[in-house]
Amino acid sequence: MGGLSAPVAVHVWPDCVDLALAELRSARALTVIRIAAPETTIRSTARAQLRGALCDTLGSLLERPAASIPLISQPGLPLELDLPGTRIGLSLSHAEGLSVAALHVGGPVGVDVMRVLPEALPDWAAVAQDYLGPQACDQLAAVAPAQRAWAFAQAWTRWEAGLKCLGLALTEWTPGLAQRLALCRITPLALPAPYCGALATQRSA
């Protein structure tokens, strides 16, 4: 995957929706919004709230009622906007207390967020070896233990964001998959502690 660059602003919805819309209407054509979510791993409420924020934002962008925005959600597949003639990529992610949505006019997008735990997972090495690959595992092993939880969250959210951008479900690392993910441009998200996140777009887009 591509190297990191300056963090992407994440706009609080609905307070900063005008900033999000301005980004979508600009040459950048890309924005990220966030909402406060329940402090639980149960996602039903957060999903409903985030979909509502998405519909309101898309309704303003497309100049139509939010209730008329047709979103298609299928297990294992990215959320889609079912409007002929539009090609707006959508991606959602949830963590305890925070949910985010990325919108990209004209191309795929992937976003992922994670609440950073005070300490690294006890099995972080096995998880990194299986999903992030040997190089990432070696890099994490070289990080000071006090910083490893944050470094792991950075690596994990980059991985997940890239997979989402390519329309892939969570899967274990392979050299071939790593080559495909190298086509993604990965950027960190500007989020308040203790959250970490990443945004992915395709380089050819």
Side-chain angles (χ1 to χ4, degrees):
M1 288 178 283
L4 293 176
S5 56
V8 170
V10 181
H11 304 295
V12 178
W13 184 91
D15 300 352
C16 300
V17 67
D18 288 344
L19 294 175
L21 289 168
E23 288 185 341
L24 288 170
R25 291 167 177 151
S26 71
R28 187 165 178 265
L30 174 68
T31 199
V32 184
I33 62 173
R34 67 178 173 98
I35 64 170
E39 296 276 347
T40 174
T41 56
I42 299 174
R43 308 291 191 219
S44 54
T45 299
R47 287 192 183 100
Q49 291 174 337
L50 193 57
R51 285 175 67 103
L54 260 180
C55 286
D56 281 350
T57 303
L58 288 167
S60 296
L61 178 68
L62 301 173
E63 299 181 345
R64 56 186 297 159
S68 71
I69 299 297
L71 298 179
I72 298 178
S73 178
Q74 301 181 53
L77 295 175
L79 189 69
E80 291 186 11
L81 175 62
D82 186 24
L83 281 178
T86 61
R87 188 168 172 260
I88 301 176
L90 305 174
S91 184
L92 282 61
S93 185
H94 305 277
E96 294 88 339
L98 179 75
S99 293
V100 301
L103 302 87
H104 186 199
V105 178
V109 66
V111 71
D112 194 63
V113 292
M114 183 174 181
R115 186 170 185 168
V116 183
L117 302 174
E119 299 178 355
L121 299 171
D123 58 347
W124 69 265
V127 174
Q129 185 70 40
D130 288 344
Y131 288 94
L132 305 179
Q135 182 178 0
C137 190
D138 291 344
Q139 291 172 343
L140 289 169
V143 173
Q147 304 300 320
R148 191 168 290 135
W150 182 257
F152 179 86
Q154 286 181 311
W156 185 266
T157 54
R158 291 181 68 194
W159 176 256
E160 282 251 47
L163 290 173
K164 291 179 180 181
C165 183
L166 297 178
L168 302 175
L170 179 62
T171 188
E172 293 187 358
W173 182 92
T174 65
L177 180 56
Q179 289 181 342
R180 293 185 65 185
L181 288 167
L183 300 175
C184 292
R185 179 182 291 106
I186 311 295
T187 313
L189 299 179
L191 292 171
Y195 298 100
C196 175
L199 177 76
T201 55
Q202 293 184 11
R203 293 184 180 276
S204 58

